[in-house]
C-alpha cells in the first residue's frame, strides 16, 4: 500500500513500526523515533517508484563514508573552498569592516578563535547566517 508523508504522520509509532515490519520483513529498532520511521518509509516508497541511487553514486557515498570513519575531520573535495592559513576574509557590514584570518584549524576574529565562519557571521550580524555565504565563499572563489 502507498502512503503519503502526511498520511504517515497521522499514524502512531506502533502503527508505523507495523508498516515497517510489513515492508522490510524485520522489526524496526525499538528506539526509532516517529520522524525517522516516516522518513525511511517515504524513502522506501520513493525508491520503489523511481528507482534507487545509481551504483556509481552508491560507490561514491560509501567511499566518502569510509574516509569519514577514518578521519572525522574529513572534508570532501569541493565541499568548501580551499583556504590556506593566513588567508584573510574581509566583509563590510553596516559600515564596519570585519576581517577574519584563516588559521591552521579554524578561524581568528578580533583576537579569538572560532571553529566555524557561521559562528563569526552570527556574532557580527546578531542573526543566523551561513558563514561561507556571509563572506562570499559560495561563489566558487578559491584562495
Amino acid at each position: 500500500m502507498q502512503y503519503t508523508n502526511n498520511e504517515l504522520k497521522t499514524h502512531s509509532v506502533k502503527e508505523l513500526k507495523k508498516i515497517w515490519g510489513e515492508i522490510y520483513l524485520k522489526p524496526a529498532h525499538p528506539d526509532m523515533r516517529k520522524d525517522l520511521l516516516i522518513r525511511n518509509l517515504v524513502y522506501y516508497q520513493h525508491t520503489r517508484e523511481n528507482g534507487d541511487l545509481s551504483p556509481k553514486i552508491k560507490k561514491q557515498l560509501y567511499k566518502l563514508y569510509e574516509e569519514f570513519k577514518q578521519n572525522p575531520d574529513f572534508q570532501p573535495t569541493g565541499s568548501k573552498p580551499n583556504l590556506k592559513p593566513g588567508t584573510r576574509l574581509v566583509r563590510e557590514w553596516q559600515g564596519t569592516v570585519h576581517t577574519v584570518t584563516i588559521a591552521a584549524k579554524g578561524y581568528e576574529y578580533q583576537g579569538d578563535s572560532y571553529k566555524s565562519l557561521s559562528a563569526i557571521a552570527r556574532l557580527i550580524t546578531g542573526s543566523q547566517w551561513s558563514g561561507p555565504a556571509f563572506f562570499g565563499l559560495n561563489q566558487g572563489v578559491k584562495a
Side-chain angles (χ1 to χ4, degrees):
M1 178 170 191
Q2 297 287 59
Y3 298 95
T4 67
N5 192 28
N6 287 334
E7 288 171 337
L8 289 171
K9 287 180 181 180
T10 65
H11 290 290
S12 68
V13 171
K14 185 177 180 179
E15 291 168 329
L16 291 169
K17 287 183 178 183
K18 182 176 185 240
I19 295 168
W20 177 287
E22 292 167 358
I23 290 174
Y24 290 106
L25 303 178
K26 62 181 181 180
H29 189 280
D31 296 331
M32 191 174 278
R33 298 183 328 254
K34 183 175 182 173
D35 64 316
L36 192 55
L37 285 162
I38 291 170
R39 279 189 254 158
N40 274 275
L41 293 170
V42 168
Y43 177 77
Y44 175 82
Q45 287 182 171
H46 176 79
T47 58
R48 297 269 302 166
E49 294 169 12
N50 303 299
D52 203 356
L53 296 172
S54 71
K56 180 181 176 183
I57 296 295
K58 283 183 177 181
K59 186 176 180 180
Q60 289 173 336
L61 287 172
Y62 184 75
K63 183 179 176 187
L64 290 170
Y65 166 74
E66 288 297 320
E67 289 182 43
F68 182 76
K69 265 186 12 185
Q70 302 239 341
N71 176 11
D73 295 327
F74 168 72
Q75 291 290 329
T77 304
S79 66
K80 67 179 182 179
N82 183 19
L83 300 172
K84 296 178 180 151
T87 301
R88 290 188 178 174
L89 305 175
V90 180
R91 168 71 195 264
E92 185 272 332
W93 177 258
Q94 296 183 344
T96 303
V97 175
H98 300 273
T99 304
V100 172
T101 304
I102 307 302
K105 286 193 174 187
Y107 308 90
E108 294 176 5
Y109 173 69
Q110 294 185 338
D112 292 322
S113 296
Y114 296 86
K115 291 183 180 181
S116 75
L117 281 175
S118 296
I120 298 169
R122 188 170 32 258
L123 180 68
I124 292 168
T125 65
S127 62
Q128 195 71 23
W129 267 84
S130 160
F134 181 78
F135 286 99
L137 300 176
N138 290 347
Q139 301 158 358
V141 178
K142 295 205 180 211

